[in-house]
Amino acid sequence: MKIFLIITATVLAAIIGLTLVCVGFLFNEGAKRRMRRTIIWLDALILGTLIVGSMFRAELPSGAVEIFGDIAAVVFMSQLICIVTVLIALIVRTIYRRMNKPIPFNRERRAMLAYGFFYPIVSTAASLYGNQIERNSTVDNFFDIPIENLPTELDCFVIAQISDVHLGAYFSLDRLEQLLSRIAEAKPDLLAITGDIFDNVPMNEAAIKLVDSYCDRFRHGIWYCHGNHEHHRGIKAIEEGLKSTKIHWLVNRAENVDKTLYMVGVDYPMSSMMMPVAEREDRAAMEKNFQRQKHEYLDAAMKDVPRGAVCVLLAHHPEFIDDAIEYNIPLTLTGHTHGSQIGIFGLPLFPIFKYTRGMVKHGNYFGYVHVGNGSWFPFRLGCPPEIAYFTLNKM
């Protein structure tokens, strides 16, 4: 948590500082000073509200948290988008001038970009779109998965996947029910949920009951594996709630679905997160613990899978895709990354994970990194939430 707060503070400071610099390229001296004062006061007010709100979050109604979060997301993402557009404009202008050698302007005009108000207006519009429209516009994505030696009875078997719902201020129970109803109407053979759904202690009990009520809407039920956020929100209480449901929750084990099809599920490797803070500075040790625990979990899960069975692995962390190949698992479904929540031309803008978004293929083995249905923060641009459908096909 300390590292997360440091990263967040650094990113916000960089956004504010670069925004103040960009203002200098958009307005004349008088307007520049007024805009900089406005930005400083507005950002300070929002940051102060967020800090105070985080201290008393338990006492605040969820509606207030959502409103504050939306405002903060729109303001800071507007600034970030404006920084990017100004940078692009400066690069284009520099190239144009070097190629065309235009007649020199006066000093003040040369320092400014044309149509200064265009940049903040467009940036704010894009930010509002990402906050209010795209993050609430779930898309359906369909994939054919050819599998060697797939039994005839499994040909055209359809698996739907959702992930990273993150119930809470930005994803209500009503919205979860709408999502489940939409998937049920598509009639896949089963629904896979790859973690980070039960992420709000007051809502988790009702959410478990809601998901359970949809199990009979799918021919082979609903299958689920834990994400890291379930561990942060009381994993024992969540598992106790799951015991009385029809949900197939897989913690380092496998279960038969239909004849030769097995669903395999692994827990999220939390050993590195449980290390003493002082030891977390040793990144090599953390990575070693993470890799060791991944192997242990998958080893345990695969013990009861008979040789020759077709397996589908559910894992929250996408690096399980590599481990699955060692076990000849043809399809691995993961999440965790949210696809970076910002993308361009179908690619993640911040690919900080080994596998951040979409399909991964190694030979005849497939892995999928779901972009998530909820949000770290209430904003998505070029990365809408999704329902992924996988149709198993004979090769």
Side-chain angles (χ1 to χ4, degrees):
M1 181 61 71
K2 182 179 178 181
I3 295 175
F4 175 77
L5 291 174
I6 292 173
I7 293 173
T8 302
T10 302
V11 170
L12 290 175
I15 290 174
I16 295 170
L18 289 172
T19 301
L20 297 177
V21 172
C22 287
V23 166
F25 292 99
L26 300 178
F27 305 103
N28 59 32
E29 286 300 324
K32 184 193 306 183
R33 287 193 293 270
R34 289 192 295 272
M35 287 296 296
R36 282 175 172 168
R37 283 198 297 267
T38 300
I39 290 168
I40 290 171
W41 279 106
L42 178 62
D43 288 352
L45 177 62
I46 291 174
L47 288 174
T49 302
L50 290 175
I51 292 170
V52 173
S54 65
M55 295 170 62
F56 300 97
R57 180 164 183 166
E59 287 75 32
L60 292 174
S62 60
V65 175
E66 183 176 5
I67 291 171
F68 291 150
D70 285 343
I71 292 173
V74 169
V75 170
F76 286 113
M77 290 309 301
S78 295
Q79 293 179 20
L80 179 59
I81 295 169
C82 189
I83 291 167
V84 174
T85 54
V86 168
L87 178 61
I88 293 172
L90 288 172
I91 293 172
V92 171
R93 186 181 71 174
T94 299
I95 295 173
Y96 175 82
R97 287 183 174 178
R98 287 184 180 277
M99 293 177 63
N100 294 276
K101 298 181 180 179
I103 299 172
F105 296 103
N106 65 60
R107 185 177 186 83
E108 181 176 327
R109 188 174 177 186
R110 287 188 68 188
M112 294 166 52
L113 291 170
Y115 311 108
F117 276 104
F118 166 84
Y119 297 90
I121 290 172
V122 169
S123 299
T124 301
S127 185
L128 284 168
Y129 167 81
N131 172 260
Q132 292 294 311
I133 298 176
E134 183 166 315
R135 79 176 177 95
N136 297 312
S137 301
T138 302
V139 300
D140 295 328
N141 290 319
F142 299 89
F143 305 93
D144 290 320
I145 307 296
I147 297 179
E148 191 173 5
N149 299 321
L150 183 73
T152 302
E153 63 268 22
L154 294 179
D155 195 26
C156 297
F157 190 97
V158 179
I159 300 171
Q161 181 198 9
I162 59 174
S163 191
D164 298 87
V165 169
H166 291 289
L167 284 167
Y170 306 122
F171 208 107
S172 66
L173 287 170
D174 287 342
R175 192 171 166 192
L176 175 60
E177 183 165 18
Q178 292 170 11
L179 179 65
L180 292 171
S181 178
R182 173 173 166 176
I183 302 169
E185 289 175 4
K187 300 187 182 304
D189 291 291
L190 65 79
L191 170 62
I193 304 175
T194 46
D196 279 10
I197 176 175
F198 306 119
D199 194 18
N200 184 280
V201 174
M203 296 169 65
N204 283 345
E205 183 178 355
I208 290 171
K209 291 179 180 178
L210 175 59
V211 175
D212 182 42
S213 71
Y214 273 83
C215 285
D216 292 335
R217 299 282 298 274
F218 302 94
R219 187 160 68 101
H220 291 289
I222 296 177
W223 301 71
Y224 156 83
C225 69
H226 292 321
N228 54 312
H229 278 250
E230 275 82 15
H231 285 274
H232 298 314
R233 298 294 182 262
I235 192 69
K236 290 183 179 179
I238 291 170
E239 291 189 341
E240 192 62 33
L242 289 168
K243 286 179 181 178
S244 59
T245 71
K246 297 177 184 177
I247 301 168
H248 301 267
W249 51 290
L250 303 175
V251 180
N252 307 329
R253 69 184 186 90
E255 191 174 325
N256 181 242
V257 180
D258 184 23
K259 298 181 180 178
T260 57
L261 176 63
Y262 278 75
M263 297 296 288
V264 182
V266 289
D267 201 353
Y268 188 91
M270 294 293 292
S271 63
S272 298
M273 301 301 296
M274 302 304 177
M275 292 173 64
V277 175
E279 294 181 19
R280 293 186 201 173
E281 300 298 326
D282 187 347
R283 306 303 297 178
M286 289 184 67
E287 178 64 19
K288 185 177 180 179
N289 272 347
F290 176 74
Q291 295 297 335
R292 174 187 54 78
Q293 200 164 30
K294 280 201 298 127
H295 286 299
E296 289 176 356
Y297 286 177
L298 193 51
D299 282 344
M302 292 296 292
K303 282 182 179 177
D304 296 325
V305 178
R307 184 181 297 275
V310 176
C311 296
V312 175
L313 173 63
L314 305 185
H316 187 63
H317 200 289
E319 287 192 23
F320 272 101
I321 292 172
D322 292 334
D323 301 275
I325 294 172
E326 299 178 15
Y327 281 92
N328 300 316
I329 297 175
L331 177 62
T332 301
L333 304 181
T334 71
H336 189 52
T337 70
H338 296 212
S340 87
Q341 291 193 204
I342 303 174
I344 183 170
F345 304 125
L347 299 173
L349 192 60
F350 305 108
I352 60 176
F353 294 88
K354 181 177 181 179
Y355 306 121
T356 303
R357 178 178 177 179
M359 190 67 73
V360 179
K361 187 176 184 297
H362 292 285
N364 293 329
Y365 305 105
F366 296 84
Y368 191 74
V369 186
H370 196 283
V371 302
N373 297 93
S375 303
W376 285 315
F377 57 96
F379 182 88
R380 283 179 177 267
L381 190 63
C383 186
E386 69 174 332
I387 304 167
Y389 295 92
F390 306 90
T391 302
L392 309 186
N393 294 319
K394 291 175 68 70
M395 289 186 68

